[in-house]
């Protein structure tokens, strides 16, 4: 059985490693760490598995299956660093938030089978080798290139782990709208997702952001429902969560704002849709100090 390589040892990388460890050998590709035997523990369930961490330049065999669990801004570079090791018919599964990274990888690796996943799983790291599964979610997966197919994916990903989507771009758009309405505001107001509904200024900003998002959706003729009710419902369901952007911000890490609001601004420019509120929150997040 071919091993499944995972790039990125963050929470999502650990979650997929745990999911697949009963059916495949898991090998993590790292920037520089080289450890032949590392135990990854899910603290919330007690589940664990043992894996290897290998730097990209030490891999000496063809890679047939790889999951890219990096931040959006690292995905393409990480894959380029292993391009010479990818088998011609390798499967590449992308787990990035937002939009833009998936399209760039699909165009740079168009002769491979590239898949994108939109996930509602909740997980966070507690140490280098342990993590917590905070909320069981769903994983919607679909094709980004012509070679990607449900049959191909089923050959190594158990069907219980995902829902196949014939049009993954619509699913990615829906998540993008929700993230654009929630994530920047949690950084600006320094709050949990649920609090955005009770802070009057945040609630007004969300409503204006969503008005602009809906105009963009109309201009692009995307068959998607109004974004405000979707975002409000996610705020209610994830009321106690701190968004991924808030967590990146408070820990002094680079945020994915360019791949969320930044992508919205790009699309508004192309379609001529005015988006002053999205522009304002983009600037505030980019300039915010943790
Ligand atoms: O996806 C999320 C994120 O934090 O990035 C939401 C839906 C906002 C949940 O926290």
């Amino acid at each position: 059985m071919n091993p499944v390589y995972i790039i990125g040892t963050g929470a999502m990388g650990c979650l997929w490693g745990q999911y697949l460890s009963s059916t495949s050998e898991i090998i993590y590709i790292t920037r520089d760490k080289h450890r032949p035997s590392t135990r990854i523990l899910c603290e919330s369930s007690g589940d664990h598995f043992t894996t290897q961490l290998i730097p990209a330049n030490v891999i000496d065999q063809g890679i047939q299956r790889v999951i890219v669990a990096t931040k959006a801004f690292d995905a393409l570079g990480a894959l380029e660093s292993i391009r010479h090791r990818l088998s011609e018919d390798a499967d590449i599964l992308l787990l990035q938030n937002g939009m833009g990274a998936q399209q760039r990888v699909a165009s740079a690796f168009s002769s491979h089978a590239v898949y994108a996943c939109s996930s509602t799983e909740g997980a966070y790291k507690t140490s280098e080798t342990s993590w917590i599964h905070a909320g069981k979610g769903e994983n919607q997966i679909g094709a980004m290139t012509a070679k990607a197919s449900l049959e191909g994916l089923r050959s190594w990903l158990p069907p219980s782990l995902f829902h196949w989507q014939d049009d993954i771009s619509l699913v990615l758009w829906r998540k993008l709208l929700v993230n654009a309405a929630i994530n920047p505001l949690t950084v600006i107001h320094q709050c949990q997702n649920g609090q955005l509904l009770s802070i009057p200024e945040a609630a007004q900003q969300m409503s204006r952001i969503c008005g602009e998002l809906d105009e963009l959706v109309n201009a692009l003729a995307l068959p998607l429902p109004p974004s405000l009710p979707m975002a409000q419902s996610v705020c209610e369901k994830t009321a106690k969560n701190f968004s991924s952007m808030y967590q990146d911000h408070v820990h002094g890490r680079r945020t994915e704002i360019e791949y969320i609001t930044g992508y919205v601004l790009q699309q508004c420019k192309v379609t001529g849709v005015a988006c002053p509120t999205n522009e304002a929150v983009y600037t505030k997040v980019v300039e915010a100090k943790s």
Side-chain angles (χ1 to χ4, degrees):
M1 188 71 171
N2 280 309
V4 174
Y5 287 84
I6 300 182
I7 312 180
T9 53
M12 284 301 145
C14 292
L15 178 134
W16 282 88
Q18 181 64 53
Y19 275 163
L20 292 174
S21 61
S22 54
T23 49
S24 300
E25 181 193 357
I26 305 295
I27 301 175
Y28 285 90
I29 303 175
T30 65
R31 279 209 180 96
D32 43 25
K33 280 181 206 128
H34 196 173
R35 296 197 195 130
S37 173
T38 295
R39 188 171 172 269
I40 308 276
L41 167 70
C42 175
E43 279 183 14
S44 40
S45 65
D47 292 337
H48 56 86
F49 65 101
T50 300
T51 182
Q52 332 175 26
L53 272 50
I54 305 187
N57 60 359
V58 172
I59 299 169
D60 58 2
Q61 51 179 315
I63 296 176
Q64 192 64 44
R65 290 153 186 174
V66 61
I67 298 179
V68 185
T70 64
K71 289 287 185 182
F73 43 79
D74 281 332
L76 183 58
L79 271 171
E80 288 294 3
S81 74
I82 57 160
R83 187 188 274 276
H84 62 297
R85 288 287 170 227
L86 280 182
S87 306
E88 242 172 63
D89 56 348
D91 280 356
I92 300 171
L93 174 58
L94 303 173
L95 304 183
Q96 281 61 47
N97 266 339
M99 283 270 248
Q102 304 88 340
Q103 290 73 8
R104 277 181 210 162
V105 168
S107 94
F109 290 83
S110 55
S111 61
H112 291 84
V114 180
Y115 302 84
C117 173
S118 176
S119 176
T120 55
E121 301 267 19
Y124 59 91
K125 287 287 285 274
T126 46
S127 77
E128 210 188 324
T129 54
S130 57
W131 62 287
I132 282 185
H133 199 173
K136 174 86 191 86
E138 289 195 343
N139 296 296
Q140 316 280 343
I141 299 183
M144 292 298 297
T145 57
K147 280 224 180 124
S149 69
L150 174 57
E151 293 64 39
L153 194 64
R154 271 203 188 132
S155 69
W156 61 281
L157 214 59
S160 59
L161 290 184
F162 70 96
H163 299 281
W164 181 256
Q165 289 292 334
D166 288 328
D167 187 352
I168 192 65
S169 101
L170 264 192
V171 181
L172 294 173
W173 260 103
R174 187 187 272 260
K175 177 111 195 286
L176 178 77
L177 299 178
V178 168
N179 287 142
I182 298 176
N183 296 23
L185 292 179
T186 59
V187 173
I188 293 168
H189 295 280
Q190 296 284 292
C191 67
Q192 292 159 313
N193 297 348
Q195 292 176 292
L196 293 176
L197 302 175
S198 57
I199 300 172
E201 197 198 343
Q204 283 161 17
Q205 284 169 314
M206 189 185 288
S207 160
R208 287 201 296 271
I209 287 173
C210 288
E212 295 170 9
L213 294 174
D214 292 347
E215 280 190 35
L216 175 62
V217 164
N218 284 340
L220 292 169
L222 296 171
L224 288 170
S227 50
L228 185 58
M230 284 198 288
Q232 288 170 329
S233 147
V234 171
C235 283
E236 279 160 13
K237 285 189 193 139
T238 63
K240 296 273 172 251
N241 288 14
F242 286 102
S243 80
S244 54
M245 194 176 285
Y246 172 91
Q247 292 183 48
D248 286 338
H249 174 73
V250 292
H251 290 112
R253 300 187 294 246
R254 180 173 170 187
T255 73
E256 293 181 310
I257 188 76
E258 284 137 66
Y259 292 81
I260 297 178
T261 311
Y263 189 81
V264 167
L265 299 188
Q266 232 178 298
Q267 294 296 307
C268 284
K269 198 167 174 195
V270 172
T271 50
V273 169
C275 54
T277 313
N278 279 284
E279 276 169 3
V281 297
Y282 175 85
T283 307
K284 275 199 174 159
V285 171
V286 168
E287 288 174 354
K289 298 261 178 298
S290 56

